[in-house]
Amino acid sequence: TQLLEQSPQFLSIQEGENLTVYCNSSSVFSSLQWYRQEPGEGPVLLVTVVTGGEVKKLKRLTFQFGDARKDSSLHITAAQPGDTGLYLCAGANGGNTPLVFGKGTRLSVIA
Amino acid sequence: DTGVSQNPRHKITKRGQNVTFRCDPISEHNRLYWYRQTLGQGPEFLTYFQNEAQLEKSRLLSDRFSAERPKGSFSTLEIQRTEQGDSAMYLCASSKTGVDTEAFFGQGTRLTVV
């Protein structure tokens, strides 16, 4: 069974601070997706990384896929209260298997 | 197309009753997934369809759970004889077929069994 471990589990920071959350596995994934989920809502896709070493930027969010395609990180610069939510990473392994999710990092950005 | 749609958004039921949820995927997506999410956890895979064929079922899916996608469009998830442990958010997602295609989620159905 492929497992994704996310850390930290909880993170509470002040507005304007930078942060990094991690998604690690002992398994190789063909791609990795990051989602943000707000209470009572479904996860919303932020980005998909496919190539080992790939870096993608989405405004203040920077996503990186590890060279070996076993891990990923999400870095947020100058966090804002609107960034508050549950950040989930999900791994895919080819086209015939469903996504495997980590437990998520719950981020709280305090104004 | 407005994305993946799930109904109802909330359901409260008494223990032992049957419930059915519906999911309408993005129209051009031929894959449909059901996940369950409990408080503090990430989504756990339940089952998925490619068109009308149910390709995989998780061991989490007990005999009381059944899912269908009769015409390869919308899907239903039925839980029979609900138990308090079934209380969770039930999420539906859809995607196109192919390697590394992206999955898009609905807003979920929150089930509370009392």
Side-chain angles (χ1 to χ4, degrees):
Chain A
T1 302
Q2 295 179 306
L3 292 174
L4 281 166
E5 294 190 4
Q6 291 191 243
S7 61
Q9 191 175 355
F10 299 98
L11 188 56
S12 181
I13 62 170
Q14 295 290 322
E15 182 177 2
E17 292 183 358
N18 301 334
L19 66 115
T20 302
V21 299
Y22 299 93
C23 175
N24 295 299
S25 177
S26 58
S27 303
V28 175
F29 290 97
S30 59
S31 69
L32 212 138
Q33 300 178 17
W34 283 92
Y35 293 81
R36 187 174 82 189
Q37 186 178 25
E38 298 191 19
E41 301 292 329
V44 175
L45 180 66
L46 296 174
V47 79
T48 301
V49 285
V50 179
T51 307
E54 181 177 7
V55 176
K56 280 192 174 178
K57 290 193 175 183
L58 189 67
K59 296 183 180 177
R60 294 176 293 100
L61 279 59
T62 302
F63 304 85
Q64 183 161 9
F65 202 12
D67 291 341
R69 289 186 288 125
K70 292 183 179 181
D71 53 83
S72 181
S73 64
L74 159 59
H75 182 79
I76 301 178
T77 304
Q80 298 177 1
D83 295 328
T84 294
L86 178 67
Y87 288 82
L88 295 159
C89 67
N93 213 350
N96 292 322
T97 56
L99 290 172
V100 174
F101 279 85
K103 291 186 177 181
T105 292
R106 190 164 298 281
L107 172 66
S108 176
V109 181
I110 302 164
Chain B
D1 192 289
T2 57
V4 179
S5 176
Q6 291 189 246
N7 289 288
R9 290 290 313 277
H10 301 92
K11 178 71 177 178
I12 299 174
T13 191
K14 291 183 178 179
R15 191 172 50 189
Q17 297 292 305
N18 299 343
V19 294
T20 300
F21 309 140
R22 176 176 170 131
C23 172
D24 288 87
I26 294 171
S27 56
E28 63 265 29
H29 287 182
N30 55 0
R31 285 206 174 159
L32 187 149
Y33 308 83
W34 285 100
Y35 285 83
R36 181 173 68 187
Q37 186 177 27
T38 52
L39 208 59
Q41 302 294 317
E44 296 174 301
F45 168 73
L46 293 179
T47 188
Y48 91 98
F49 294 83
Q50 180 157 312
N51 301 314
E52 64 275 11
Q54 189 172 18
L55 295 189
E56 189 173 338
K57 291 169 63 173
S58 164
R59 289 175 215 161
L60 291 174
L61 213 63
S62 77
D63 292 344
R64 297 183 297 103
F65 288 69
S66 62
E68 293 183 343
R69 195 183 183 197
K71 297 182 180 178
S73 57
F74 73 92
S75 175
T76 57
L77 177 67
E78 181 184 16
I79 309 174
Q80 296 182 326
R81 305 181 302 283
T82 52
E83 301 172 357
Q84 285 188 322
D86 297 331
S87 295
M89 173 78 92
Y90 289 85
L91 294 164
C92 175
S94 70
S95 74
K96 296 180 182 179
T97 305
V99 178
D100 304 323
T101 58
E102 297 169 331
F104 295 86
F105 281 81
Q107 293 177 302
T109 294
R110 166 75 64 189
L111 172 66
T112 302
V113 181
V114 297

